Amino acid sequence: MLFFFKRIEQFYCAVTANLSQNERDFVAQYLSISERKLFYGMAIFDQYHAYRVAKTAERLAREKHYGKASQRILLKLGLLHDIGRLAGEVTIGDKVLAVLLPASLIKRLARKGQGGFWKNRCHALYVYRYHALIGAKRLCAQGAKRFAYIIAAHHNCQRTQKRNDFLYLLQMADREN
C-alpha cells in the first residue's frame, strides 16, 4: 500500500513540476555548461525529479559523514542520473504506463524509433528501459566518463553497496523520489 501512495506522490510531483530560480542556481553551481545542456534537455518533470534526487543524495551523504568533495559528486550524479530521457521522448502518461506494465511486457514492446502514436509509445518504453545506458553514452560524448559507469548502473537491481558507495547512495536517493 505504501508503494501505491509513493507512486501517487511521484505523479503529483511530475504534473506540478517546476524549478525555481534558486533551484536553477543550484543546478548551475554543480554542473558544467555542457552538463547543464544535458540536464535542461530533459523534460521539466525529469529535471525536477533529478533535483530532488540530488538533494536526497546530499542528505544521505551528510548522514554518512561524507566529505564535501564526495557530497559534490553525489549532487552531480543525482542531477545527471536521468539524462538518457530527453524532453518529448517520454511523457508523463508514458511513465505511468511503464510503471503499470510488467517488466517482461516492456521488454517485448520497447523499440527504438519514433513516428505515429504506437511507435512513439514503444520508443518511450525503450527510453524508459534503457535511459541509464543512453545517459552514460551522452556523458561519455561530453567527456564526463568519470560518472558514466555509475549513471549506466543506477537501475541495476543487484546489491551494489560493497562495489561502489556512490552508486548505492544514488540508488537509495532515486528510490526515495
Side-chain angles (χ1 to χ4, degrees), residues 26-46:
F26 175 87
V27 170
Q29 180 181 354
Y30 292 101
L31 298 182
S32 69
I33 292 171
S34 61
E35 291 166 342
R36 276 182 276 179
K37 286 181 185 176
L38 295 171
F39 179 84
Y40 288 116
M42 296 186 296
I44 187 65
F45 54 85
D46 281 327

Side-chain angles (χ1 to χ4, degrees), residues 1 12 34 58 61 78 81 94 137 162 164 168-169 172:
M1 193 61 143
Y12 176 78
S34 61
E58 178 185 39
H81 80 282
D94 293 327
K137 287 180 184 177
K162 300 227 184 302
N164 189 305
Y168 177 73
L169 289 178
M172 286 180 59

Side-chain angles (χ1 to χ4, degrees), residues 60-78:
L60 293 171
R62 268 195 325 269
E63 288 171 2
K64 293 194 176 283
H65 306 289
Y66 280 41
K68 291 288 183 191
S70 294
Q71 288 178 35
R72 285 186 70 85
I73 290 169
L74 277 160
L75 282 165
K76 188 177 285 242
L77 287 167

